[in-house]
Amino acid sequence: LLLVRAWQLEHPNLWRRYACERQSMTEDIAQRKLQPPKIEVRASLASAVQALPDDPLETKVNEVYLFHGTKPENLVALLSSGLNERFSGGLFGAGTYLAEDAGKSDQYVTEDKRLSSHLKALHQRLYVAGVSHPKDVYYVLLCRTAMGYYVSTKDMPSGAGDIFANDGQRELRCIPGLPEEYGHMHYHSLVAATGGALKRYREFV
């Protein structure tokens, strides 16, 4: 993989929504006096993102940068509305799938060969002010992500049980062992580890 172009994408409304959800996650964890397991991404990725011109990551809610590969036909919608877990899924249920290795995200991309009317809306957003189309390009997003209190698994789930709250696999189960006065709280995210259903790359959902 070779990086040929990079853009810093900012959407004020999406950022406010994300910041609000992150704050809610922070408060839920603090009120219940929880200590989420610390998430560790690949050392090369963790080191590279330190140079990004952005606010520090919120480690208390396991905020990390992760990759998401997509087709060029989907990119305008993603830039406008953000990633949406309601419209995606995979081996580990419904959700937005992310990766710590660009090699994993590369499995989901398709080629944007050249400037064309087919992708005019996308090209008008990206290739302006002297930025040329490099030809034969693939798009991978680097996403700021709050994983919160996550549950980890190696096995592909078959329904409700250790991971999911129901057979629809749209909601993770509640964190066990919380005192009754704190109320229940669902896991925020899922980390699918290698060694079971996955052989090479972890997935973050």
Side-chain angles (χ1 to χ4, degrees):
L1 301 179
L2 175 66
L3 178 65
V4 293
R5 298 285 187 276
W7 296 265
Q8 181 176 354
L9 307 174
E10 296 182 351
H11 192 305
N13 289 337
L14 292 178
W15 172 253
R16 283 191 289 269
R17 189 189 312 169
Y18 172 80
C20 182
E21 291 293 335
R22 183 182 59 184
Q23 181 59 32
S24 176
M25 188 183 292
T26 301
E27 293 172 359
D28 283 344
I29 290 172
Q31 289 171 0
R32 292 169 175 80
K33 299 180 173 60
L34 296 175
Q35 294 291 331
K38 184 180 169 89
I39 200 163
E40 300 281 356
V41 298
R42 288 187 63 202
S44 57
L45 174 60
S47 175
V49 299
Q50 291 180 9
L52 293 176
D54 209 345
D55 295 332
L57 296 171
E58 297 285 347
T59 56
K60 291 182 180 179
V61 291
N62 278 320
E63 193 176 30
V64 291
Y65 280 101
L66 295 168
F67 296 110
H68 180 82
T70 190
K71 299 176 181 179
E73 293 83 1
N74 298 336
L75 196 51
V76 170
L78 292 182
L79 296 180
S80 301
S81 304
L83 298 170
N84 192 324
E85 73 281 359
R86 292 175 295 177
F87 302 124
S88 58
L91 291 176
F92 298 91
T96 298
Y97 282 68
L98 302 148
E100 62 188 334
D101 194 307
K104 176 63 178 178
S105 297
D106 187 52
Q107 297 175 1
Y108 301 97
V109 301
T110 57
E111 189 177 25
D112 176 2
K113 293 184 178 181
R114 64 185 69 86
L115 291 176
S116 67
S117 58
H118 173 57
L119 295 170
K120 184 177 180 180
L122 174 65
H123 294 159
Q124 286 180 334
R125 286 167 169 80
L126 298 182
Y127 301 108
V128 295
V131 178
S132 62
H133 191 293
K135 297 183 180 180
D136 304 327
V137 65
Y138 301 82
Y139 299 104
V140 175
L141 301 174
L142 180 64
C143 307
R144 187 166 179 148
T145 310
M147 296 292 291
Y149 201 121
Y150 67 90
V151 62
S152 183
T153 184
K154 288 184 179 180
D155 299 315
M156 189 166 56
S158 58
D162 291 340
I163 301 175
F164 291 103
N166 52 54
D167 289 332
Q169 298 187 3
R170 301 200 66 86
E171 183 76 50
L172 294 169
R173 78 182 188 104
C174 291
I175 300 171
L178 293 181
E180 290 185 8
E181 62 266 27
Y182 290 152
H184 70 271
M185 187 177 91
H186 293 270
Y187 285 106
H188 297 120
S189 62
L190 167 68
V191 176
T194 57
L198 302 179
K199 305 304 180 185
R200 186 174 181 186
Y201 300 113
R202 292 195 296 173
E203 295 193 6
F204 301 76
V205 188

